[in-house]
Amino acid sequence: MGFLNAVRRLDAGLDPAACNELADWLKEHYTNEFGDVPLGFLATCYLGAPYVDHQLNLFHSIVDHFAPGDPMPHPFAAARMLVRTGAYAFVEVYDGGLVLPVLPDGSVVRP
C-alpha cells in the first residue's frame, strides 16, 4: 500500500480499529522513510458549502472543516492556498512549518 492510498483511506471513514492500524502504518513508514511524521494533512473538503478544506490527522480523524473565511490554525494555514489550487491530492504539514504538496499520482513536490 502506498502513502497516497493510505491517506485516502484515513479520510474514507474506516472503522476505528482499521483507522488505528492504518495510522500506525503511516507513522512507521514516514519515520522509516523520511525521519519525520507530519502533524497532519490538509485537503479539499467535499461536504459542500460552506466548507472548502479539512484538516486530517494521523489519529484517524478529520480535525476540522473550514469555510473560505475561517482562520486556519498554524502551521496548516501555509498549506491552504496549495489545497485550493486543486492541483494536489493533499498537502503534508510538518511541525516546523514545512508543507509538502502531494500530487494525485502520489509523488511529493519537495523544495
Side-chain angles (χ1 to χ4, degrees), residues 30 33-34 92 94 98-101 108-111:
Y30 267 102
E33 191 163 332
F34 306 112
E92 299 172 346
Y94 291 84
L98 176 67
V99 294
L100 297 176
V108 178
V109 179
R110 299 199 180 272

Side-chain angles (χ1 to χ4, degrees), residues 15-84:
D15 68 78
C19 284
N20 284 333
E21 185 177 315
L22 190 56
D24 289 343
W25 183 91
L26 276 164
K27 288 180 216 172
E28 178 183 336
H29 282 78
Y30 267 102
T31 300
N32 291 339
E33 191 163 332
F34 306 112
D36 198 6
V37 178
L39 286 175
F41 309 96
L42 198 66
T44 299
C45 180
Y46 296 103
L47 285 179
Y51 303 114
V52 293
D53 322 289
H54 68 242
Q55 180 185 355
L56 180 72
N57 69 22
L58 284 177
F59 301 104
H60 65 81
S61 63
I62 292 177
V63 177
D64 215 344
H65 297 276
F66 298 91
D70 293 342
M72 180 79 56
H74 177 79
F76 289 86
R80 192 172 216 179
M81 286 299 112
L82 292 170
V83 168
R84 296 245 182 112

